[in-house]
């Protein structure tokens, strides 16, 4: 009986009491104060603000993730939908050359967790910020036109590009790392505030293990396996 009770408590902690990232504290405080002020005027006025406060708390959630630890696995850096898988020239500011590279794009809606995680372990070789527009991040042209922050992670498999792209609503890209810093797969490196996209560029030889339209979980979903010796399968790439 005691074991069952502890199991219920653990379930509540993991599904309801999800940690909130500190980046959200100011926004939660503003929304909470606004709710209290409107409550003073009348309960009916406070309800919309209360809903907004709950959404802000939900948006800045930072759940614990269990990252696969086998060498060579490339993990999704973001929660969301695999919106595009293609071979394109990487952003010039990353310094990855002009040859097309495999790119997997993950679109994050305003309801997805927005804490971004390193897709693979290695050293941050380069970071580059580029201002731009705020068109819908689900569009292919967002990779070229929108405001973005990119980093290059290098390890024994080569150089991987990771690009945070602002979206139609997003107006703030945040990162907590710097050049020369080592990163472990699944380690938090930044976030984008309110709806956006993350692109991952792979070195030669990578084959995607995901499909367009599939849901990805940051720090857990495997995008590719650089160490696999299995014959490469045919994958449709747009």
């Amino acid at each position: 009986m005691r074991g069952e009770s502890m199991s219920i408590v653990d379930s509540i902690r993991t599904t309801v009491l999800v940690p909130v990232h500190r980046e959200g504290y100011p926004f939660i405080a503003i929304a909470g104060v606004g709710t209290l002020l409107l409550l003073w005027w009348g309960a009916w006025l406070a309800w919309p603000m209360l809903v907004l406060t709950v959404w802000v708390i939900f948006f800045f959630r930072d759940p614990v993730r269990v990252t696969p630890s086998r060498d060579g696995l490339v993990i999704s850096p973001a929660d969301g939908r695999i919106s595009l898988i293609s071979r394109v020239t990487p952003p010039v500011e990353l310094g990855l050359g002009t040859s097309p590279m495999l790119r997997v794009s993950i679109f994050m809606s305003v309801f997805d967790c927005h804490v971004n995680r390193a897709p693979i372990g290695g050293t941050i070789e380069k970071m580059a910020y580029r201002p731009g527009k705020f068109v819908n991040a689900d569009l292919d042209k967002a990779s070229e036109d929108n405001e973005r922050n990119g980093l290059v992670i290098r390890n024994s498999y080569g150089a991987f590009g990771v690009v945070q792209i602002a979206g139609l609503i997003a107006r703030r890209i945040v990162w907590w790392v710097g050049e020369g810093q080592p990163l472990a797969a699944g380690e938090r490196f930044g976030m984008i505030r309110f709806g956006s996209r993350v692109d991952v560029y792979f070195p030669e030889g990578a084959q995607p293990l995901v499909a367009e339209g599939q849901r990805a979980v940051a720090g857990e979903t495997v995008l590719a396996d650089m160490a696999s010796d299995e014959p490469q399968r045919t994958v449709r790439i747009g």
Side-chain angles (χ1 to χ4, degrees), residues 38-39 41-48:
L38 289 175
L39 185 61
W41 287 95
W44 65 275
L45 290 172
W47 276 110

Side-chain angles (χ1 to χ4, degrees), residues 70-85:
R70 185 167 69 75
D71 184 54
L73 295 181
V74 185
I75 313 301
S76 177
D79 283 21
R81 174 174 52 84
I82 306 295
S83 59
L84 291 167
I85 299 177

Side-chain angles (χ1 to χ4, degrees), residues 24-210:
Y25 293 169
F27 297 91
I28 295 170
I30 292 171
V33 170
T35 300
L36 292 175
L37 290 175
L38 289 175
L39 185 61
W40 185 77
W41 287 95
W44 65 275
L45 290 172
W47 276 110
M49 197 65 185
L50 178 60
V51 172
L52 177 63
T53 302
V54 172
W55 176 79
V56 171
I57 295 171
F58 180 74
F59 179 86
F60 283 100
R61 67 196 185 280
D62 185 14
V64 175
R65 297 286 166 77
V66 180
T67 301
S69 58
R70 185 167 69 75
D71 184 54
L73 295 181
V74 185
I75 313 301
S76 177
D79 283 21
R81 174 174 52 84
I82 306 295
S83 59
L84 291 167
I85 299 177
S86 55
R87 292 190 181 275
V88 297
T89 302
V92 63
E93 67 268 18
L94 295 183
L96 293 176
T98 57
S99 298
M101 299 176 70
L102 171 67
R103 182 188 69 190
V104 175
S105 302
I106 303 100
F107 175 74
M108 297 178 286
S109 76
V110 293
F111 299 106
D112 287 312
C113 175
H114 273 56
V115 175
N116 299 143
R117 298 169 183 261
I120 197 166
T123 301
I124 299 178
E125 184 176 77
K126 184 174 185 179
M127 294 191 67
Y129 169 78
R130 179 167 176 171
K133 301 177 182 178
F134 297 97
V135 301
N136 186 353
D138 207 13
L139 301 177
D140 190 29
K141 66 178 182 178
S143 292
E144 298 180 5
D145 297 341
N146 281 25
E147 177 177 313
R148 60 183 184 258
N149 181 64
L151 58 152
V152 176
I153 302 174
R154 183 174 290 277
N155 58 23
S156 60
Y157 296 102
F160 297 78
V162 185
V163 183
Q164 298 169 288
I165 303 172
L168 187 64
I169 302 175
R171 289 295 186 272
R172 174 72 169 163
I173 300 175
V174 181
W175 57 93
W176 315 304
V177 294
E179 292 183 357
Q181 179 177 333
L183 279 178
E187 183 176 349
R188 300 166 179 83
F189 72 85
M191 73 180 303
I192 318 172
R193 291 205 294 255
F194 304 110
S196 41
R197 172 174 149 185
V198 177
D199 288 347
V200 182
Y201 293 85
F202 296 77
E204 190 63 34
Q207 288 291 311
L209 298 179
V210 290

Side-chain angles (χ1 to χ4, degrees), residues 215-231:
R215 292 287 303 176
V217 178
E220 294 188 353
T221 300
V222 176
L223 301 181
D225 184 358
M226 303 300 297
S228 174
D229 57 1
E230 296 181 4

